[in-house]
Structure formats: structure tokens, C-alpha cells
Amino acid sequence: MEFRAYLIKANSSRSLSIGLTGVGLFFISILFFAFPPLETIALILSIGGIVIALIGAIASKEKAVIEVDDKMINFNDQGIEIRSAFYRYAEITDLEFYYHSFYSQSPFGFYTENAGHIEYGMANHVSFRTGEVRILEVCFLGNQVQATSFFMFLNELKTSKISYSMNYRQHSP
């Protein structure tokens, strides 16, 4: 059996950094407004922060801080392939899976169309040790079918006597 999922990457866009700098300047300007002699500087910082944040937002073309990568993680009967590296289960220790959610899963565990928060589907991860190196990869589960396939794959690992641990997101009541 095989299971594949897209990896998650941090947005390294310069425009996102520019936008966040503008937001930071705006919040600093709020502190400056507390002191009357610094109100002119506060006004300049707040206007500059807003302008810089808008420039960053327009230039980033609505990209998020984290986004789905075009690279995949591939689990099969022999091991785990991440990008171009292959790790055999015989070489892997401390294999751990963390299931957070799939896209459109609500915070209460119900499965609805487009429910949930932005991180839903993007906070699942696998980690393991190979030799002295600890590897952690975050992956995206796009829907309930892919999440079911993930759990079916974990059952196959258990049947094959491959040791792993599993953790889940805690649901709020």
C-alpha cells in the first residue's frame, strides 16, 4: 500500500516580510501615541506602517504565511520518500505521526463543507530519527477521503509490524 501527501512550506516571499514589517510599525506607533511628545512620530509611523502593509499585501498576491508545497511525501511498504531522499523503515527509529485534521474539518470534529480554520489540513506531521538526524515534515490532508487513506495506511504499517506512535489533536467540548 502507498500513501502520498503534499508537504507544507513557509512562504518565503519578500513581499510578505514587507507587509509584516508594516504591521509591526503600525503596532509600534500605537505605543508612541501614549506619550504626547511622540505623537508626531507616532502619526508618521502609523501612516507609514499602513502604507507598507498595503504594499506587502498587494505584492504577495494573497499568499498565506504557510502554504501547500508542490513537493510530496510518499509512504510505501519499504519506507518514506521525502523530496529525493528515501528512508527505509529498517533505518528509521522513533517514527511518530500527528493527525490534526483534514481541510474542511470543523473544530468540533464534524465534517462540513469549508468549515474550520486556516490551519486545518495543514498541521499534520510525521517525524522520525535516522541515525543521529531527526526529521520532521508537515503535510497536507486535503479531504476526508485522503484522511481515511492515511489511517488505512497506518493500519497496514501495524499489520507489517512497523513500530510507530500516533497522536491526535484534542477536540474542544
Side-chain angles (χ1 to χ4, degrees), residues 60-123:
S60 70
K61 298 177 184 162
E62 299 179 8
K63 290 188 176 183
V65 175
I66 58 171
E67 48 191 35
V68 179
D69 198 352
D70 59 348
K71 309 277 190 292
M72 297 193 85
I73 185 168
N74 183 21
F75 301 92
N76 61 38
D77 298 338
Q78 303 300 313
I80 303 171
E81 182 180 2
I82 303 171
R83 295 175 188 88
S84 61
F86 186 76
Y87 307 96
R88 296 195 177 284
Y89 290 122
E91 303 165 353
I92 292 175
T93 58
D94 300 330
L95 179 59
E96 298 176 13
F97 293 96
Y98 175 77
Y99 174 77
H100 182 271
S101 60
F102 60 85
Y103 182 71
S104 295
Q105 183 176 358
S106 83
F108 307 108
F110 306 117
Y111 311 119
T112 60
E113 190 73 29
N114 299 323
H117 303 288
I118 190 168
E119 80 272 8
Y120 279 28
M122 300 178 106

Side-chain angles (χ1 to χ4, degrees), residues 6-17 20 60 62-71 83 122-123 136-140:
Y6 285 102
L7 295 171
I8 300 297
K9 67 177 180 176
N11 184 346
S12 58
S13 165
R14 291 186 72 172
S15 56
L16 180 66
S17 299
L20 291 175
S60 70
E62 299 179 8
K63 290 188 176 183
V65 175
I66 58 171
E67 48 191 35
V68 179
D69 198 352
D70 59 348
K71 309 277 190 292
R83 295 175 188 88
M122 300 178 106
L136 170 71
E137 291 291 341
V138 182
C139 55
F140 176 68

Side-chain angles (χ1 to χ4, degrees), residues 20-35 38-50:
L20 291 175
T21 301
V23 171
L25 284 175
F26 179 75
F27 283 117
I28 290 171
S29 74
I30 293 171
L31 295 174
F32 280 39
F33 275 116
F35 304 103
L38 301 176
E39 286 181 350
T40 305
I41 295 172
L43 184 61
I44 293 168
L45 283 176
S46 62
I47 292 171
I50 291 170

